Amino acid sequence: MAVSSQTQAVHAYIDQHRDDYLNDLKTFLRIPSISTLPKHKKDMQRAAEFVQQQLTAARMENVRLIDMGGAPLVAGEWLHAAGKPTILIYGHYDVQPVDPEHLWESKPFEPTIRDGKIYARGATDDKGQVLAMIEGVKALMAAAGKLPVNVRFLIEGEEEYGGAGIEKYVTERAEEIPCDAVLIADTHMLGPGLPSIVYGTRGILFAEIVARGAAHDLHSGTYGGVAPNPLHALALIIAGLKGKDGAIKLPGLEKLAKPVTDEERGWWAQHPGSVEERLQREMGVGVFPGEQEFAPTERMAARATFEVHGFVGGFQDEGAKTVIPAEAKVKVSLRLVPDQTPDNVLPLLRKQVAKLTPPGVQTDVQLVHGGLGMVVDVHNPYIEAASAALSEEYNHPTYFLREGGSIPIAPLFMERLHAPIVFAGYGLADEGLHAPNEHFNLDNFYHGIHGTVRYLEHVATIKGGRHGK
Ligand code: BES
Ligand code: MN
Ligand code: MN
């Protein structure tokens, strides 16, 4: 694409305003917007208002907080590019809890720069990424006075907590946000300097398996040998659901999965470097249990998983207590690939847990939350535009990958808005998302600002947007 002098002016403008962007990012990161903890309710409001101010500064119109019962949605739009496509930009301003806090090298809500990276909870997931998109739009408005396409923002504050509000909004009021494509920056790149488009995410089914044995806790000396032990029952159930060979033993699960295509395997084969080396470096362990007949890349994004997240019950304190608990539970999740869904997998799980439950114990599987995975057809102009924009920005061809994580609102956007999803993220896998010392590479923050501008400029060349006015 020919680079107009106006375009060059926008990029020069961005380079001159780096300090402002960094200050905005620090301000955003200082707000402890942990959506899952009720004591941070005021901070959710403050973070929403920060986003609202940013959208106003980006000269969006009709900037508003939408109350769906929980942390507000923040929306705004600019629709004056007649005949051009409309892009909906999505991200989230909420963050994960910080525990264990003693493992943080600097305080989680005091953003600190070390070695070109900004450390704070939410830096990469998702404040740094969502702010990059806002700053890109802001820069275009400031330097060019207009946008090349129509833009809407819809930024939520409950993503890390199930996203109930936005789900309700998109289900009930999709007509308020018509668009031709959805741009999301909440995913990874394959590595530093390697621009990447994620074309698939996994779904999730998070559940608690509750087990009950005797009517009350028992002395293990008096009753050991005859009493059912719910904790041990859960251990048996877990082992029965996934054995040493790494295969999930859930009859019916496999045949729900949509097969991986040859085209996809072709893209994955182009990914540079050794996945095993990267994993060893990032995880600090060089043995990779799981389905050995599938390559790690496939296991990490295009196969279902079954994981245990915590056992609850019995004696958890320091020391010893010889108790046989009357009740115990275990928190588990399955990551799902299309077309496995929480609806069609939960009955399989319930049935198998019942089958694996030993005598004297009663079990119950309770759904905690669920979300759909998705795969988007990459052969559409909005993804081609993103691929071109990222390649230009990083001066490197763009890779296509599937993500193992879940962004449950994305498939709902696709369904309700009839628009393709473009996951153009600027994070790196080892930036500690959901973990201590979360950080975001500042180079990628600035690339994200330029990249957003480039993306919107490429979209402007697409003919036939349905929603331009
Ligand atoms: N940004 C992540 C999704 C993600 C995870 C993208 C890993 C790329 C790599 C998102 O904020 C997230 O954490 N999603 C949750 C969703 C769940 C709570 C429904 C997840 O994947 O665990
Ligand atoms: Mn995220
Ligand atoms: Mn997250």
Side-chain angles (χ1 to χ4, degrees), residues 54-71:
Q54 289 298 313
L55 295 186
T56 303
R59 291 167 52 194
M60 294 296 103
E61 296 169 1
N62 194 18
V63 176
R64 59 206 184 270
L65 299 187
I66 303 171
D67 179 9
M68 298 302 293

Side-chain angles (χ1 to χ4, degrees), residues 160-162 204-207 332-335 342 366-371 408:
E160 304 288 11
Y161 179 51
I204 187 163
L205 183 172
F206 196 108
V332 299
S333 78
L334 289 119
R335 294 276 170 178
Q366 294 163 356
L367 178 71
V368 177
H369 63 77

Side-chain angles (χ1 to χ4, degrees), residues 92 94 124-126 129 159-160 185-187 406-407 433-434:
H92 60 95
D94 64 320
T124 187
D125 184 14
D126 182 37
Q129 299 199 54
E159 196 275 346
E160 304 288 11
D186 191 21
T187 52
S406 307
I407 305 184
L433 51 165
H434 296 202

Side-chain angles (χ1 to χ4, degrees), residues 164-183:
I166 196 170
E167 189 183 317
K168 190 166 185 310
Y169 179 75
V170 175
T171 303
E172 291 172 3
R173 291 158 65 177
E175 72 283 355
E176 292 180 15
I177 46 169
C179 62
D180 295 289
V182 182
L183 178 67

